[in-house]
Amino acid sequence: MRPYLRTLTAALTAVLAAGVLAGAATPGVQAADADPPGRGPTTPDSIDWTPCPQDAEADCGTLRLPIDWAHPTGEKFDLAVARRKATDPDRRIGVLMVNPGGPGDSGVDFAVRRAKTHFSAEVQEKFDIVGFDPRGVGASHPVKCSKELLDRRPSAYPRDQAEFGQLAEFNRTLRKDCRRHTGPVFDHADTLSVVRDMDAVRRSLGEKKINYFGHSYGTLLGEQYAEEYGDRIRTMALTANMDHSLGVRDFLVSSAATAEDSFHQFAKWCDRTSSCALHGRDVTAVWDGLLAKADRGEIRDPENPDQALTANAIALFAFKKFYGPDRDGLATYLAELDAQDPPDAQRPRAEPPRTAPQQTAAEPFQAAFCQDWRFRPKSHKEFARLTEAELRAAPHLRGSPRVHAGVAACIGWPDEVNNPQHRLRITDAPKILMLHSMHDPANHFSWATNVHRQTRGTTVLLPYEGDGHSVYNRSGCTRDAVDDYLTERKIPSPGSSCAPAAEN
């Protein structure tokens, strides 16, 4: 570790701290040793463990829980849970609950399939790694919607009030359709409900305290668990942190700014790296030219050459490559797109064989996202101003495509939100370790500094000075910091940071 230079995102951080945080509402925080009103008995059903079909070394099971925690004797659903027992029982410390983010990623899959390669041998020796699919996700009564309707989703970039109205009406129709196919779980897919489920898992395991590792959207689950059940935590490590106090403008603009920053980091890497497929060229000019050709319908989709590739699709592909980051893969992809023949010179391709239409598809993201954030632009004029602010923050990447689409999908939803954003207020929890990349493509570094500012007496922030969305395995420094904290509760020295790893 080395001293952390406070040079990044100062202006935006100041704006967020002064504007957004001041106006956020703060909900009541429950006493850590009591269940919130109406939640019923504190002893849930036990989990009947059996070997997981994917890997018999892991245990899988379900836990029967209330759909609505305000009515614990009402309708129930089955929460899917998986466990990988500590490989050295004599050194076992306890359980390490995990959530990989999303919203919509599977905690069961993470525990069963990914934990063995994600976590160090030391963590696997000392903890039972426990993952669960949040309600509405994976095997936990998944949110489902009509595939035919999803395929007709209109553009997230309406050009006028008429198209804005069409988008709002489509979202209302889709919401109704998803509720019909999913049932009442759809209306209770918010993170605060998942927090209640998480504590029910703790109780079913017979654990007085848990350890927790949350990544990206999984940090929101950790943050709110610490608000509600702080004294039930032994350790909590959060990477790529969410800031649940942001308003819609700052959420969109900061998301766009950090995506644009990752694009510039990619361009700089390409300039100095001879193995880059675009080395020696003006990467920004190549990029802008590709998006311009895509706007004219002149770029074909390599996976489906009969279809034109949109500029938004290219930006989304790049955005996902920034996560690793996989710079070589992105450079090669862009070089191949740039080398395409003109459309009229391309040989037509045969239509792929038709398959039976899929009736429904899993669609958990919006059910959680639109119940966690009060993002409801009311008119095309308002949404256009937000989009213009995104473009100013990210003129080359044209905003953050995934976040923009997420906000657009909430247009037309009811104003009432189950879990509206607010300043964090953690009153009874141990020290919580936060790690965050200074060049994270999805979650702006200022989100971590804002959360740390709101919880300064409880959280410790360790910046990683490099790129990418995933943090734990970025370097020996980041991995050791988390491992030492989880196993020995050692906290990094104030002002520490982790240097960038060797470039890929």
Side-chain angles (χ1 to χ4, degrees):
M1 299 181 185
R2 67 187 189 189
Y4 160 45
L5 303 177
R6 304 175 182 272
T7 58
L8 187 65
T9 71
L12 182 56
T13 300
V15 170
L16 296 177
V20 180
L21 304 183
T26 304
V29 178
Q30 302 292 339
D33 59 352
D35 290 320
R39 281 176 47 199
T42 59
T43 304
D45 296 336
S46 61
I47 301 172
D48 186 15
W49 297 108
T50 59
C52 295
Q54 312 95 310
D55 186 344
E57 293 181 359
D59 302 322
C60 284
T62 58
L63 183 62
R64 195 81 171 153
L65 295 176
I67 289 175
D68 183 356
W69 278 105
H71 302 283
T73 60
E75 195 170 350
K76 303 277 200 300
F77 78 103
D78 289 326
L79 186 83
V81 188
R83 175 182 64 186
R84 211 169 254 292
K85 288 186 177 180
T87 58
D88 188 346
D90 292 337
R91 302 174 66 203
R92 180 186 181 276
I93 293 173
V95 300
L96 176 64
M97 285 196 194
V98 295
N99 184 278
D105 290 352
S106 169
V108 167
D109 179 73
F110 187 87
V112 173
R113 190 176 59 86
R114 295 165 55 193
K116 288 195 296 185
T117 56
H118 183 83
F119 290 114
S120 68
E122 182 180 21
V123 168
Q124 295 182 60
E125 288 171 357
K126 296 182 177 180
F127 295 97
D128 294 347
I129 298 173
V130 176
F132 63 93
D133 287 351
R135 50 176 61 211
V137 175
S140 294
H141 198 106
V143 170
K144 292 185 177 181
C145 311
S146 296
K147 181 68 164 56
E148 182 271 336
L149 188 57
L150 290 169
D151 290 342
R152 293 193 283 112
R153 192 191 298 272
S155 171
Y157 298 86
R159 293 170 294 185
D160 52 35
Q161 182 60 36
E163 289 190 0
F164 180 89
Q166 291 167 6
L167 175 60
E169 182 58 32
F170 173 84
N171 290 341
R172 286 189 287 267
T173 300
L174 180 62
R175 179 175 178 271
K176 183 178 179 180
D177 174 87
C178 299
R179 294 178 78 202
R180 178 171 62 86
H181 285 291
T182 306
V185 165
F186 183 89
D187 293 326
H188 300 278
D190 58 282
T191 293
L192 193 55
S193 293
V194 179
V195 163
R196 313 289 195 224
D197 300 341
M198 179 176 162
D199 197 58
V201 173
R202 175 195 64 80
R203 298 195 306 273
S204 74
L205 295 172
E207 299 287 337
K208 185 176 180 180
K209 293 178 182 286
I210 63 164
N211 304 275
Y212 180 74
F213 177 89
H215 173 66
S216 195
Y217 213 81
T219 67
L220 180 55
L221 176 55
E223 292 164 8
Q224 294 201 259
Y225 187 89
E227 279 189 307
E228 299 290 321
Y229 307 108
D231 70 341
R232 302 174 193 182
I233 299 168
R234 176 184 172 272
T235 61
M236 178 174 286
L238 308 176
T239 64
N241 300 266
M242 296 294 299
D243 179 4
H244 196 227
S245 70
L246 298 177
V248 62
R249 181 183 178 87
D250 290 297
F251 189 79
L252 282 168
V253 170
S254 58
S255 296
T258 203
E260 181 82 356
D261 171 67
S262 287
F263 170 77
H264 288 296
Q265 294 298 315
F266 163 70
K268 292 175 183 177
W269 169 84
C270 220
D271 286 344
R272 63 178 181 264
T273 306
S274 60
S275 63
C276 173
L278 297 174
H279 182 66
R281 303 179 64 184
D282 185 334
V283 174
T284 302
V286 171
W287 171 268
D288 290 343
L290 279 174
L291 296 196
K293 287 195 285 186
D295 288 336
R296 299 191 296 268
E298 298 173 3
I299 302 293
R300 316 309 295 178
D301 185 348
E303 299 296 323
N304 188 5
D306 294 327
Q307 299 295 320
L309 197 63
T310 66
N312 190 67
I314 296 173
L316 183 59
F317 181 92
F319 177 72
K320 292 177 179 178
K321 287 294 184 181
F322 295 151
Y323 269 46
D326 179 10
R327 292 165 170 158
D328 278 315
L330 175 57
T332 300
Y333 179 77
L334 297 179
E336 290 173 353
L337 293 184
D338 189 56
Q340 283 187 4
D341 293 328
D344 59 355
Q346 295 193 27
R347 181 165 54 88
R349 305 295 180 97
E351 278 193 30
R354 296 189 178 185
T355 57
Q358 185 180 359
Q359 297 301 313
T360 61
E363 188 76 3
F365 181 92
Q366 229 56 48
F369 185 80
C370 293
Q371 293 179 35
D372 280 340
W373 305 85
R374 190 181 281 121
F375 294 163
R376 305 290 192 270
K378 296 299 184 184
S379 67
H380 174 260
K381 183 177 181 180
E382 179 186 355
F383 195 45
R385 287 174 177 167
L386 293 170
T387 303
E388 290 166 2
E390 282 186 86
L391 294 176
R392 286 194 297 271
H396 299 292
L397 209 65
R398 301 185 182 181
S400 177
R402 189 181 186 215
V403 169
H404 180 95
V407 172
C410 296
I411 291 170
W413 275 52
D415 288 339
E416 183 180 355
V417 178
N418 291 354
N419 183 34
Q421 57 265 44
H422 63 278
R423 283 181 61 96
L424 265 179
R425 190 171 69 188
I426 300 174
T427 58
D428 190 8
K431 290 292 185 182
I432 294 171
L433 177 62
M434 302 168 57
L435 285 85
H436 204 109
S437 296
M438 295 177 71
H439 299 287
D440 188 314
N443 298 1
H444 201 290
F445 185 71
S446 65
W447 296 6
T449 58
N450 284 339
V451 170
H452 179 48
R453 183 180 300 109
Q454 294 166 34
T455 58
R456 191 172 293 278
T458 302
T459 59
V460 175
L461 174 60
L462 180 66
Y464 168 65
E465 296 175 7
D467 306 78
H469 188 52
S470 183
V471 188
Y472 172 73
N473 278 312
R474 291 299 291 139
S475 71
C477 175
T478 55
R479 185 171 53 253
D480 290 347
V482 174
D483 287 0
D484 290 347
Y485 167 72
L486 291 176
T487 58
E488 302 176 31
R489 290 186 275 200
K490 289 175 58 178
I491 296 293
S493 302
S496 299
S497 67
C498 287
E503 294 181 340
N504 60 334

